[in-house]
Amino acid sequence: MSIQSFIPPQRTLMGPGPSDVSPRVLSALARPTIGHLDPTFIGMMDEVKSLLQYAFQTKNTYTMAISAPGSAGMEACFVNLITPSDTVVVCLNGVFGARMVENVQRIGAKLVVVEGTWGRAVDPQALEDTLKQTPEASFVAFVHAETSTGALSDAKTLCEVARKYNCLTIVDAVTSLGGVELRVDDWGIDAVYSGSQKCLSCVPGLSPVSFSDQAASVIKNRKVPAQSWFLDQSLVMGYWSGEGKRSYHHTAPVNSLYALHESLLMLQNEGLENSWARHKAQHEKLASGLEALGISFVVPKSERLPQLNTVYIPEGVDDAKVRQFLLNEYNLEIGAGLGQFAGNAWRIGLMGHAARNENVLLCLAALKEALAQ
Ligand SMILES: *Cc1c(COP(=O)(O)O)cnc(C)c1O
């Protein structure tokens, strides 16, 4: 059999990511590749930095995109900031919190877990109780938007609590950036990472990160280098710092960065607050349609993520058959349950370019038909 060009089907992506990529971003991706040290490319990288500062609502100079997916942003935050002598408090309420736990364990630091409930926000009081009993703690880590459960935690309050106990914060904003309110400077977040393929409507493979001055000085003053050479931010920053100082570290994913530039520009043109409001409005439309179909939400209303709707699979309905029907008949992808919700929930994403009337109506109509069969 001869191998031919791969022509992917045209899908509508309403799962936990990747989400629908805007045509504008796809066309940016196809522009000519230039050298990663080309002066015009360096100019574009500087624009990516300032567009990211806007998206994160931060003045942090240490703001850039790691050349790898969100998981690499997570690992970069942990391996650069934490050393084996540190005590780290991790709030655990889903799959991505569990990955934070694993990062701390692999570094060999002391780990203290705030056990939360799957499908619920992190409880700030539980964090405070733990910190009271752990005076040696120097970091608090939590997931803002838990994509495995659809729960949104109160990042502002959690950061306030962490600061009260002199801890730096590491925040997973992979699914929150662009989809719900996130204010890195106002909320005092020290290290934050995200991903290109969720609410930014960009292709997978890049991880925006930002470090506060305090976090940056922790990184600069490390006595032992971070165990990851590729993710060592003291090296990567030389590459992204600009002003003619750019030196080779690795070859930037040139075309992917065009795509990120375009998607962040679209976000800036729309306006952050407008993007948050659009996600909320589409979520409300979807939620009322789902409830009319007799489908109920896993997460209590006040703790729900608009961009990731986790709903129980109705009694007697075959999970895999429905998702297959949506894919085969409507080219529509929704997500399966993950971890504790595997097999009993669906995750319907309304991320970035997917948070539109067309998508909501398609999803409701297709689900209605699938359930009727
Ligand atoms: C998707 C996701 C990640 C991982 O991002 P990848 O790009 O898949 O590596 C991390 N945290 C959360 C909350 C996510 O939703």
Side-chain angles (χ1 to χ4, degrees):
M1 201 178 69
S2 71
I3 296 180
Q4 291 175 357
S5 300
F6 176 64
I7 311 291
Q10 188 81 50
R11 307 281 202 210
T12 299
L13 300 179
M14 296 180 71
S19 62
D20 275 353
V21 176
S22 119
R24 252 180 79 174
V25 172
L26 286 177
S27 77
L29 198 62
R31 288 174 195 152
T33 303
I34 58 175
H36 69 119
L37 298 175
D38 188 301
T40 63
F41 185 71
I42 288 172
M44 192 218 57
M45 275 168 104
D46 290 339
E47 289 181 1
V48 168
K49 276 168 67 172
S50 69
L51 289 165
L52 278 176
Q53 286 171 331
Y54 169 71
F56 276 128
Q57 292 289 287
T58 183
K59 294 195 171 66
N60 290 340
T61 44
Y62 208 139
T63 302
M64 38 70 90
I66 288 178
S67 306
S71 305
M74 176 188 283
E75 188 149 341
C77 289
F78 282 87
V79 301
N80 280 281
L81 286 168
I82 294 165
T83 61
S85 59
D86 289 316
T87 297
V88 184
V89 173
V90 177
C91 305
L92 176 58
N93 65 338
V95 165
F96 293 101
R99 290 188 176 180
M100 289 179 151
V101 164
E102 213 174 307
N103 269 276
V104 174
Q105 286 168 333
R106 286 186 183 218
I107 291 165
K110 184 165 175 246
L111 168 72
V112 179
V113 174
V114 180
E115 289 284 352
T117 308
W118 280 59
R120 298 298 307 268
V122 172
D123 177 7
Q125 188 59 51
L127 172 62
E128 176 139 25
D129 293 346
T130 300
L131 286 173
K132 247 180 225 160
Q133 289 162 19
T134 321
E136 70 278 21
S138 46
F139 292 94
V140 166
F142 64 88
V143 178
H144 187 203
E146 242 307 344
T147 323
S148 63
T149 69
L152 174 65
S153 288
D154 179 354
K156 181 175 183 238
T157 303
L158 293 171
C159 288
E160 263 166 33
V161 173
R163 204 164 39 249
K164 188 170 152 192
Y165 292 86
N166 296 315
C167 288
L168 296 187
T169 44
I170 300 176
V171 178
D172 179 318
V174 175
T175 285
S176 57
L177 184 67
V180 285
E181 185 177 17
L182 170 67
R183 300 184 187 276
V184 168
D185 285 0
D186 287 354
W187 297 352
I189 296 172
D190 291 291
V192 62
Y193 59 91
S194 188
S196 48
Q197 85 280 27
K198 310 252 167 135
C199 295
L200 296 183
S201 321
C202 187
V203 290
L206 290 171
S207 180
V209 294
S210 184
F211 296 93
S212 70
D213 289 347
Q214 208 182 341
S217 91
V218 169
I219 294 171
K220 278 187 207 118
N221 295 320
R222 280 183 73 105
K223 291 188 186 72
V224 188
Q227 71 258 39
S228 167
W229 178 85
F230 183 68
L231 295 174
D232 184 338
Q233 295 306 290
S234 62
L235 303 176
V236 175
M237 248 350 245
Y239 187 47
W240 275 81
S241 61
E243 289 146 32
K245 289 183 293 185
R246 199 142 334 205
S247 58
Y248 171 67
H249 176 262
H250 64 278
T251 307
V254 171
N255 293 58
S256 294
L257 284 164
Y258 301 163
L260 183 64
H261 181 278
E262 193 71 17
S263 69
L264 291 169
L265 185 61
M266 286 174 64
L267 181 63
Q268 190 181 67
N269 290 345
E270 179 180 14
L272 255 187
E273 280 87 356
N274 293 335
S275 178
W276 301 336
R278 173 169 55 84
H279 284 84
K280 186 164 183 282
Q282 294 301 337
H283 157 74
E284 279 162 7
K285 198 176 285 188
L286 179 74
S288 63
L290 289 172
E291 276 151 11
L293 291 174
I295 294 175
S296 58
F297 275 77
V298 168
V299 180
K301 204 165 188 163
S302 61
E303 298 172 11
R304 271 178 212 164
L305 277 174
Q307 65 272 51
L308 199 280
N309 299 265
T310 309
V311 294
Y312 288 112
I313 298 169
E315 200 90 27
V317 169
D318 187 318
D319 172 20
K321 264 195 188 145
V322 168
R323 283 186 293 110
Q324 214 161 32
F325 177 89
L326 299 181
L327 199 63
N328 293 342
E329 304 300 322
Y330 284 91
N331 274 305
L332 171 64
E333 178 184 285
I334 65 166
L338 193 61
Q340 287 186 14
F341 297 121
N344 58 32
W346 290 317
R347 291 180 300 152
I348 304 175
L350 287 173
M351 298 182 183
H353 190 61
R356 288 180 298 151
N357 285 335
E358 295 92 310
N359 285 38
V360 170
L361 294 182
L362 172 72
C363 180
L364 289 172
L367 257 181
K368 188 175 180 183
E369 190 178 326
L371 293 175
Q373 295 207 350

